C-alpha cells in the first residue's frame, strides 16, 4: 500500500483529468449557512471567494464520497447570484456539465460574493428528508460552490452555521466561537469540511463511549422528542462494547477523535454515511430504548468500521482530489463488502444483535443468495456500479432478478468464506481478524493510504498461502446461480421450517407478511404487494408490486388468513385470491403445495464450528 502522495504519482498518467489539478487555492473562502428556517427547510448560503480577473468556473459537488455515485443534489439549489464589488455578474451553466458555473471576473474584482438557497426536501417524494422542525443533518457538499480544478485539500474554508434558537449540535469540526445561535468553525480544508457534517436539533444529548482515551469517542444524538434521548443502560453498554470490539479487531484508532452522529426519528429519512472522524446515522425513535425493529442495528458498526476500511485506507480507484471527477467503484467488494462483514460480526460481538438474531440474519442472507435468480446473469462484481446505474433512486419492480447493491450483503458471505478458509488452512493460527489488524496499520493519523486488489491478495497470501486471487475472483465473477458457500465453510448449513426466524418475526411485527421463500411474495398490512420474486409461484400467477390482495379463499384479506391458506394448500386446498390492480379486479389461483418456509441455520455434523468463534466477543 502507498501513502496518498506516492499513489497519486502512479495514478497521474492513468487519470490526468482527475489527478493533475492545482495543489492549492490562494486565500480563504468564507462560507455562511443560515439553517434557522426549520419550518420551511430553507438553507440560505453566502460565500466570499477570493479571485483574480479572468475566466472562472465554480463547481457544485457532484461525486459524493460514500455514495459511490454522482448524487450531488443540484436540483435542490436555487437563487444563485454572483456579485463582484457589489455588482451582479452574469454566469452560464456549462452545457456539458450541469454542475459547472462559468463566469468572467472583471478587472478590479478580488472577491466574489455568492448567494443561493439550498431547498432541503420537505417530503420524501422530493428526496431525503434531512431537516425537520426539530432536527437537522447539515451536509456541507449541499451548500457550497468551489473553484474548479483545485485539490480540495488545498482550498481553505472558514465556515459558520446559524441554527434555530435553542438548538444544540454535534460535529467533528472544532467550534472556534459561538455567537448566539451561530457556530463559527475553525478554518479547515474543503475536503475536511465536506467530510465533517453537523447534526443539530432542539433535543440533543451527548453520550461518552470512551472519553478517557487519547482518541475519545462520543455518541451525539438528536431527536424529535426528549423521550427518544432516554437511553437504556444495556443499549449504551453495547455501543461502548462496539468501540472496544473495534479496538480488539483493528488495533490503533486512525483518528484524533470520533463522533457517532445519530438522529432517532420516525420522520427524518434514514441514513448511514461514513466520514474520517464521524458518521451520519439515522435510526427509529425507540432505538436507544432498545425497542424493535433490530434489523438495522448493524448500521453504526458498519459506519464505524469505515473509519479503517474506506476512509483511512481506501481503494485507489475510489479516490479523486475533488468532487467533480468520476470515482471508480471496482473495489467496493472490499470497501463496502468487507465493511459489511465486520458490521455483522461487530454487531454480534458487541451485543447490538443477540446471537440468535445474528445467526438469523446470516440465514436470511444465505437463503436470499441461494435462491436469487439474478445471480444467473449478473455477477457480484458488476453490482459495484449500482449507485451509478440507480440514478433515479426508485424501488425496482423485480429486485431479485435485476439485483442491486449486493456488493454489501452478498460480499458478507464472500468474506465469511475467506475468514473460515483462513482459519481452516492455518489450523486456527490466523483469521480475517489477523488480516484486518495487519492490513490497516502502518499509517500516521490523518493520512490516506491507497491500495488496490493486488495489495489485498498479497496481504492474504502473506498471512496464509491459498491462491486468494483465484478464490475471491471466482466468487466475484460467477454467473451460475450457485449458492454462496461461506456458511458451509464455517460449519453451518441452511434449512427451512414453518417457523419464522427472529429477523422475519421482527419485520412482521408491523403487519408485513413475509412469504418470500414460499409464495415468493411480501405484503403489507393492507394487502398491498411489496415484493414479488421473479419466476416464483406468485409471479407465475400474474402478481406484481402494483397489486393489492382483497380476499383469500373467499374471506377478506389478512396476513394470518394468507398464511393459513398456504398451510392448507399442502393438503390440496386450492389457494385462491381476489386481487385489485388499478381499477380492475380478478381472481387468481396460486399453484403452490410446499407450505410455509422460513430460513434457519443448523450445524453440519462433523464440521468444525468456526462461525460461533467468529461471532464471539473478543474483549
Amino acid at each position: 500500500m502507498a501513502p496518498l502522495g506516492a499513489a497519486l504519482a502512479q495514478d497521474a498518467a492513468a487519470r490526468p483529468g482527475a489527478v493533475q489539478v492545482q495543489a492549492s487555492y490562494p486565500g480563504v473562502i468564507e462560507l455562511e449557512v443560515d439553517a434557522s428556517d426549520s419550518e420551511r427547510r430553507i438553507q440560505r448560503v453566502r460565500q466570499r471567494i477570493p479571485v483574480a480577473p479572468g475566466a472562472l468556473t465554480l463547481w457544485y459537488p457532484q461525486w459524493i464520497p460514500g455514495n459511490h455515485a454522482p448524487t450531488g443534489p443540484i436540483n435542490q439549489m436555487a437563487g444563485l447570484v454572483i456579485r463582484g464589488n457589489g455588482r451582479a455578474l452574469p454566469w452560464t451553466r456549462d452545457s456539458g456539465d450541469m454542475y459547472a458555473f462559468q463566469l468572467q471576473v472583471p478587472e478590479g474584482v478580488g472577491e466574489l460574493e455568492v448567494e443561493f438557497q439550498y431547498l432541503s426536501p420537505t417530503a420524501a417524494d422530493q428526496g431525503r428528508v434531512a431537516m425537520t422542525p426539530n432536527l437537522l443533518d447539515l451536509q456541507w457538499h449541499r451548500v457550497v460552490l468551489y473553484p474548479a480544478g483545485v485539490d480540495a485539500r488545498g482550498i481553505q474554508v472558514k465556515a459558520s452555521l446559524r441554527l434555530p434558537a435553542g438548538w444544540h449540535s454535534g460535529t467533528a469540526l472544532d467550534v472556534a466561537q459561538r455567537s448566539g445561535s451561530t457556530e463559527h468553525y475553525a478554518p479547515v480544508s474543503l475536503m475536511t469540511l465536506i467530510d465533517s457534517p453537523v447534526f443539530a436539533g432542539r433535543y440533543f444529548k451527548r453520550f461518552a463511549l470512551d472519553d478517557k482515551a487519547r482518541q475519545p469517542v462520543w455518541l451525539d444524538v438528536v431527536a424529535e422528542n426528549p423521550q427518544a434521548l432516554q437511553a437504556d443502560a444495556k443499549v449504551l453498554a453495547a455501543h461502548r462494547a462496539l468501540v472496544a470490539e473495534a479496538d480488539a479487531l483493528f488495533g490503533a484508532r486512525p483518528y484524533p477523535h470520533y463522533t457517532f452522529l445519530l438522529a432517532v426519528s420516525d420522520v427524518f429519512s434514514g441514513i448511514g454515511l461514513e466520514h474520517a472522524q464521524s458518521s451520519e446515522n439515522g435510526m427509529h425513535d425507540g432505538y436507544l430504548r432498545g425497542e424493535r425493529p433490530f434489523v438495522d442495528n448493524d448500521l453504526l458498526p458498519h459506519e464505524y468500521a469505515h473509519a479503517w476500511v474506506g476512509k483511512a485506507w481506501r481503494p485507489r480507484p475510489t479516490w479523486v482530489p475533488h468532487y467533480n471527477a468520476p470515482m471508480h467503484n471496482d473495489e467496493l467488494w472490499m470497501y463496502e463488502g468487507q465493511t459489511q462483514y465486520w458490521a455483522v460480526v461487530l454487531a454480534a460481538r458487541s451485543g447490538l444483535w443477540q446471537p440468535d438474531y445474528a445467526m438469523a440474519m446470516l440465514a436470511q442472507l444465505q437463503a436470499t443468495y441461494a435462491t436469487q435468480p439474478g445471480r444467473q446473469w449478473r455477477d457480484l462484481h458488476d453490482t459495484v456500479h449500482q449507485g451509478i446505474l440507480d440514478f433515479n433512486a426508485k424501488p425496482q419492480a423485480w429486485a431479485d432478478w435485476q439485483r442491486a447493491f449486493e456488493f454489501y450483503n452478498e460480499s458478507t458471505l464472500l468474506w465469511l468464506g475467506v475468514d473460515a478458509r483462513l482459519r481452516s488452512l492455518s489450523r486456527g493460527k490466523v483469521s480475517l481478524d489477523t488480516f484486518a489488524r495487519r492490513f490497516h496499520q502502518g499509517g500516521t493519523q490523518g493520512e490516506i493510504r491507497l491500495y488496490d486488489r493486488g495489495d489485498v491478495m498479497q496481504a492474504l497470501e502473506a498471512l496464509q498461502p491459498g491462491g486468494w486471487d483465484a478464490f475471491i475472483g471466482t466468487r466475484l465473477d460467477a454467473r451460475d446461480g450457485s449458492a454462496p458457500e461461506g456458511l458451509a465453510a464455517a460449519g453451518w448449513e441452511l434449512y427451512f421450517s414453518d417457523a419464522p426466524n427472529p429477523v422475519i418475526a421482527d419485520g412482521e411485527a408491523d403487519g408485513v407478511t413475509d412469504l418470500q421463500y414460499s409464495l415468493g411474495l411480501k405484503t403489507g398490512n393492507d394487502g398491498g404487494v411489496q415484493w414479488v420474486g421473479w419466476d416464483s409461484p406468485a409471479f407465475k400467477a400474474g402478481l406484481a408490486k402494483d397489486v393489492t390482495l382483497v380476499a383469500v379463499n373467499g374471506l377478506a384479506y389478512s396476513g394470518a388468513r394468507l398464511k393459513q391458506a398456504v398451510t392448507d394448500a399442502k393438503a390440496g386446498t386450492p389457494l385462491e385470491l381476489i386481487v385489485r390492480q388499478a381499477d380492475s379486479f380478478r381472481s387468481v389461483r396460486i399453484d403452490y403445495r410446499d407450505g410455509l418456509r422460513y430460513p434457519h441455520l443448523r450445524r453440519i455434523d462433523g464440521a468444525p464450528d468456526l462461525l460461533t468463534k467468529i461471532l464471539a466477543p473478543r474483549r
Side-chain angles (χ1 to χ4, degrees), residues 135-147:
L135 54 84
L136 164 71
D137 175 5
L138 192 284
Q139 295 177 316
W140 296 102
H141 70 261
R142 298 172 182 263
V143 291
V144 68
L145 294 176
Y146 70 101

Side-chain angles (χ1 to χ4, degrees), residues 279-593:
S279 58
E280 298 172 76
N281 307 276
M283 295 293 283
H284 61 94
D285 185 273
Y287 174 72
L288 288 180
R289 297 191 295 271
E291 298 174 0
R292 54 150 303 276
F294 307 116
V295 66
D296 292 327
N297 281 19
D298 60 339
L299 174 63
L300 273 69
H302 180 99
E303 303 310 335
Y304 190 46
H306 268 316
W308 290 265
V309 190
K311 296 305 292 185
W313 287 264
R314 64 188 70 177
R316 182 173 289 107
T318 67
W319 195 90
V320 287
H322 53 74
Y323 305 99
N324 290 73
M327 302 174 186
H328 292 222
N329 292 339
D330 296 272
E331 312 302 339
L332 289 188
W333 53 272
M334 174 72 178
Y335 182 124
E336 295 290 3
Q338 192 177 112
T339 298
Q340 183 54 26
Y341 174 70
W342 292 130
V344 171
V345 170
L346 289 171
R349 291 179 182 177
S350 65
L352 285 167
W353 277 342
Q354 293 303 306
D356 64 332
Y357 202 95
M359 297 293 274
M361 182 59 70
L362 289 169
Q364 287 284 103
L365 295 183
Q366 184 70 23
T368 294
Y369 296 113
T371 60
Q372 189 182 71
R375 297 179 75 250
Q376 299 170 21
W377 74 272
R378 189 178 183 193
D379 60 55
L380 173 58
H381 197 218
D382 185 65
T383 69
V384 302
H385 306 297
Q386 188 64 29
I388 302 170
L389 296 172
D390 198 20
F391 58 90
N392 62 5
K394 300 296 183 182
Q396 296 171 313
W398 307 101
D400 64 337
W401 181 241
Q402 293 168 273
R403 308 198 83 199
F405 293 86
E406 319 298 350
F407 58 89
Y408 286 84
N409 284 329
E410 188 180 334
S411 292
T412 298
L413 298 175
L414 166 65
W415 286 108
L416 175 59
V418 172
D419 199 347
R421 189 165 181 256
L422 278 170
R423 293 167 187 263
S424 296
L425 291 175
S426 70
R427 299 182 182 275
K429 294 179 181 178
V430 298
S431 67
L432 203 61
D433 289 58
T434 320
F435 167 85
R437 195 173 186 88
R438 294 183 184 180
F439 192 77
H440 298 291
Q441 296 300 315
T444 59
Q445 235 179 69
E447 180 184 57
I448 299 172
R449 297 184 69 81
L450 303 181
Y451 63 86
D452 55 25
R453 176 170 172 161
D455 295 316
V456 175
M457 302 309 169
Q458 183 179 359
L460 286 169
E461 291 292 342
L463 193 64
Q464 172 60 55
W468 293 107
D469 193 52
F471 178 85
I472 291 176
T474 299
R475 285 145 186 83
L476 287 175
D477 300 332
R479 295 181 183 175
D480 57 8
S482 60
E485 71 276 19
L487 276 166
W492 291 74
E493 65 181 359
L494 178 71
Y495 76 98
F496 293 89
S497 80
D498 60 3
N501 67 43
V503 174
I504 289 178
D506 191 20
E508 289 192 325
D510 284 333
V512 172
T513 299
D514 187 344
L515 300 174
Q516 176 178 350
Y517 304 107
S518 52
L519 296 184
L521 185 70
K522 294 182 184 179
T523 62
N525 195 43
D526 61 352
V529 173
Q530 299 179 347
W531 184 90
V532 175
W534 185 265
D535 209 27
S536 67
F539 176 96
K540 293 175 180 176
L543 299 186
K545 285 178 69 173
D546 64 334
V547 167
T548 299
L549 308 189
V550 176
V552 181
N553 289 348
L555 297 175
Y557 170 83
S558 74
R561 285 172 175 164
L562 181 58
K563 287 185 177 183
Q564 186 60 52
V566 172
T567 300
D568 294 343
K570 291 179 67 176
T573 303
L575 199 168
E576 296 183 346
L577 305 172
I578 297 176
V579 305
R580 177 175 180 172
Q581 190 169 28
D583 286 340
S584 300
F585 291 80
R586 70 178 188 272
S587 296
V588 170
R589 175 174 288 193
I590 299 182
D591 184 16
Y592 177 75
R593 297 287 186 272

